[in-house]
């Protein structure tokens, strides 16, 4: 079966062709317009999706060497995400399915992330844990078999990537700031500043990253380092690496601690990482080391499948079609769609 997957939940317009569960193409167009606002502006995201969707779909079909008439099913993200952004891909997908007379299915964006591990040959075995960390999500999910999963914990406030982006903004590193913090952290001392680790209740797998963000804000304010324009000629920026390294260590310590505890308590052998923050070098290193110590294997798809992408949506759509699952054409976009 040849399935077109469409993803427009946030600031990536993406489409992919998935043939019998294998990715034939995956085209991602990231909106750069948000950089100058220091975060995703919902209305600008919707407009960018509208501008890009036709070209992105055409590219995905061309790269896979298929025409619209070859498509046998259309899958599109219907939540969670920004409603105005979701509506673009969802309505496009529904209209295309209707026009072609093929089935349509709505896909939960988070399920897409969970099953992104199955887009590559090196796959975890069930049951496994998935740590989904991105600009919009932070959760530990126990996946026992296809479409059987339980959320063990999630963030109560900011997502991990959101914290990276906000701290990058405070330190003058631009947006999105995760990669810049990762780079700066390599030059700094992770023990230079003792930022708090919010472990919450010892038995909880939930996260909270707003406290660490505020701790960085106070640290910078107290030293008059906030809003200092970047550039060696205008100011001394020698403090940046230590702040980045110490902030990153605090976030990574909590992510690793909770994931490893969840692995121990559920008895899984395999742990997978998904979402844009899984590109973080410290997280990858520390989680791999900790997993090895308890005899677990780590899996992480390449970045094009870790970030928001149509391939993971097409793949979940294909799994659903194979089980005879389809959605009605009046399926709605749901901003806070649950994963269970
Ligand atoms: O999954 P993604 O592409 O989009 C969604 O948010 O859904 O994730 C983007 C997030 C941004 O917050 C970005 O700063 C963060 O992933 N990120 C990183 C790194 N690369 C991207 N955070 C930390 N370290 C990185 N190397
Ligand atoms: Zn995502």
């Amino acid at each position: 079966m040849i399935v077109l997957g469409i993803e427009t939940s946030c600031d990536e317009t993406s489409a992919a062709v998935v043939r019998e569960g294998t990715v034939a193409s995956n085209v991602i167009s990231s909106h750069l317009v948000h950089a100058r606002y220091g975060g995703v502006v919902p209305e600008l995201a919707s407009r960018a999706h509208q501008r890009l969707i036709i070209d992105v779909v055409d590219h995905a079909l061309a790269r896979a060497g298929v025409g619209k008439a070859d498509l046998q099913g259309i899958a599109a993200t219907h939540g969670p995400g920004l409603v105005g952004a979701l509506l673009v891909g969802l309505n496009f997908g529904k209209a295309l399915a209707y026009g072609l007379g093929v089935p349509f299915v709505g896909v939960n964006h988070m399920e897409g992330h969970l099953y992104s591990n199955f887009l590559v040959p090196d796959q975890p075995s069930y049951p496994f844990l998935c740590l989904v960390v991105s600009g919009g999500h932070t959760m530990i999910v126990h996946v026992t078999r296809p479409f059987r999963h339980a959320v063990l914990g999630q963030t109560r406030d900011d997502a991990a990537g959101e914290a990276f982006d906000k701290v990058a903004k405070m330190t003058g590193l631009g947006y999105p700031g995760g990669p810049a913090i990762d780079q700066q952290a390599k030059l700094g001392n992770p023990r230079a500043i003792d930022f708090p680790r919010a472990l919450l209740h010892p038995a909880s797998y939930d996260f909270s990253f707003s406290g660490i963000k505020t701790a960085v804000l106070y640290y910078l304010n107290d030293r008059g380092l906030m809003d200092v324009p970047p550039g060696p000629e205008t100011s001394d920026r020698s403090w940046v690496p230590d702040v980045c390294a110490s902030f990153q260590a605090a976030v990574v310590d909590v992510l690793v601690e909770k994931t490893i505890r969840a692995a121990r308590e559920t008895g899984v052998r395999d742990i997978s990482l998904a979402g844009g923050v899984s590109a973080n070098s410290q997280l990858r290193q520390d989680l791999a080391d900790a997993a090895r110590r308890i005899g677990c294997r780590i899996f992480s798809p390449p970045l094009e499948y870790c970030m928001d992408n149509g391939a993971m949506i097409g793949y979940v759509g294909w799994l659903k079609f194979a089980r005879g699952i389809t959605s009605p054409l009046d399926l709605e976009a749901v901003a806070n769609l649950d994963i269970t």
Side-chain angles (χ1 to χ4, degrees), residues 10-12 109 113 133-137 161-162 164-165 176-179 182 248 275-277 279-281 306-308:
C10 190
D11 60 343
E12 262 95 26
H109 178 82
H113 278 306
V133 269
S134 73
H137 345 279
E162 204 177 341
F164 270 92
D165 292 339
D182 197 349
Q248 180 174 278
V277 182
N280 185 266
S281 51
C306 266
M307 62 194 295
D308 290 349

Side-chain angles (χ1 to χ4, degrees), residues 28 53 55 80 98 101 112 123 139 159 168 172 189 211 239 248 261 275 283 301:
I28 304 170
I53 187 80
D55 276 355
Y98 181 75
Q123 305 174 353
M139 49 171 73
N189 174 8
W239 50 273
Q248 180 174 278
R261 185 156 50 78
L283 176 61

